[in-house]
Amino acid sequence: MITIENLKKSFGETLACNIGTFTVNDGDILGLVGNNGAGKTTLFRMLLDLLKPDEGQVGLDGINPAQSEEWKASTGAYIDEGFLIDFLTPEEYFAFIGKITNMTQEQVNERLKDFERLANGEIFGQKKLIRNLSAGNKQKVGIISALFNRPKLVILDEPFNFLDPSSQNVLKHVLTEYNKETGATILVSSHNLAHTIDISTRIALLEKGQIIRDMQNEQGSARSELENYFETE
């Protein structure tokens, strides 16, 4: 469970986050939507202790990420390519992740088989450093890294960016199946409204740092309300 209490963050005179009380339940696929500057990435960075709030706090299963690192073992995240070690090849990068999480190379190789469809023959065996991959393939490496250790909390910022239409559809399948198989909680922010509606069980609409609507999304039930909101903005 994720809890947010009186969370505020400003940059100069701009209030980027202003959330009173908000809870994400275990097993939710929560889609965060909003226009540029709504505060989606700022919120994610505070959840991951990459940015300090001015006021308030967050809790990941009761752990304040600013006060303990226990949450890291059960959390996978990808915000941008700064999360990658780009002077390694993808194979070297995942071998490194495996090593620091006590996986054997055989276990690493077996785990990577789960992502063959998403990789689509464009990431592994190419003898390329991550820095030399296309933007879409860097994105895939980051997403795979977030899911690699089968975390119970996954946070992805704009995961559909840079992916071609086929890869976007594969990613939707990967995330929904991962949620079904593991019961993991998944937080996704995206400007792609259609994909977010397709995968999310719940959607939070942000505007100027505030969650202005919190919608259940059974079978895409939030679609009409969201489409009306963005059409009138």
Side-chain angles (χ1 to χ4, degrees), residues 114-233:
D114 294 339
F115 301 104
E116 287 179 349
R117 188 178 173 203
L118 181 61
N120 195 33
E122 299 174 335
I123 295 174
F124 303 114
Q126 303 302 303
K127 298 182 180 179
K128 286 185 177 181
L129 302 180
I130 292 173
R131 67 175 57 157
N132 295 328
L133 296 176
S134 69
N137 286 332
K138 288 178 185 176
Q139 188 83 343
K140 291 179 183 181
V141 171
I143 293 165
I144 293 170
S145 70
L147 298 170
F148 192 71
N149 289 321
R150 301 183 72 84
K152 66 178 183 178
L153 172 61
V154 179
I155 297 177
L156 299 173
D157 193 20
E158 298 289 352
F160 299 104
N161 275 5
F162 311 119
L163 301 185
D164 59 46
S166 294
S167 296
Q168 290 177 5
N169 285 327
V170 171
L171 177 58
K172 288 195 294 184
H173 175 78
V174 167
L175 293 178
T176 54
E177 287 303 304
Y178 183 78
N179 171 262
K180 289 177 183 177
E181 292 171 5
T182 67
T185 304
I186 301 177
L187 275 61
V188 172
S189 77
S190 180
H191 284 117
N192 191 311
L193 192 60
H195 289 337
T196 305
I197 292 170
D198 285 345
I199 67 171
S200 301
T201 60
R202 181 181 172 194
I203 295 178
L205 174 59
L206 279 76
E207 182 179 291
K208 297 180 180 179
Q210 298 185 51
I211 296 175
I212 61 170
R213 300 181 198 175
D214 178 11
M215 295 165 276
Q216 294 300 313
N217 186 46
E218 297 298 329
Q219 299 182 331
S221 59
R223 185 181 305 274
S224 177
E225 185 174 353
L226 287 168
E227 288 176 347
N228 288 337
Y229 171 84
F230 286 106
E231 283 177 1
T232 58
E233 285 297 294

Side-chain angles (χ1 to χ4, degrees), residues 1-4 22-30 47 153 185-187 202:
M1 179 182 290
I2 299 172
T3 56
I4 296 172
F22 188 71
T23 299
V24 183
N25 299 313
D26 291 342
D28 279 350
I29 302 180
L30 177 70
L47 288 174
L153 172 61
T185 304
I186 301 177
L187 275 61
R202 181 181 172 194

Side-chain angles (χ1 to χ4, degrees), residues 49-67:
D49 193 35
L50 299 172
L51 190 63
K52 301 297 184 185
D54 298 328
E55 297 179 29
Q57 63 181 17
V58 300
L60 307 181
D61 281 339
I63 300 169
N64 183 335
Q67 298 176 354

Side-chain angles (χ1 to χ4, degrees), residues 94-95 98-99 101-110 148:
F94 289 111
K99 185 175 182 180
T101 54
N102 299 314
M103 296 174 70
T104 66
Q105 187 59 49
E106 290 74 18
Q107 290 172 320
V108 169
N109 295 340
E110 193 64 26
F148 192 71

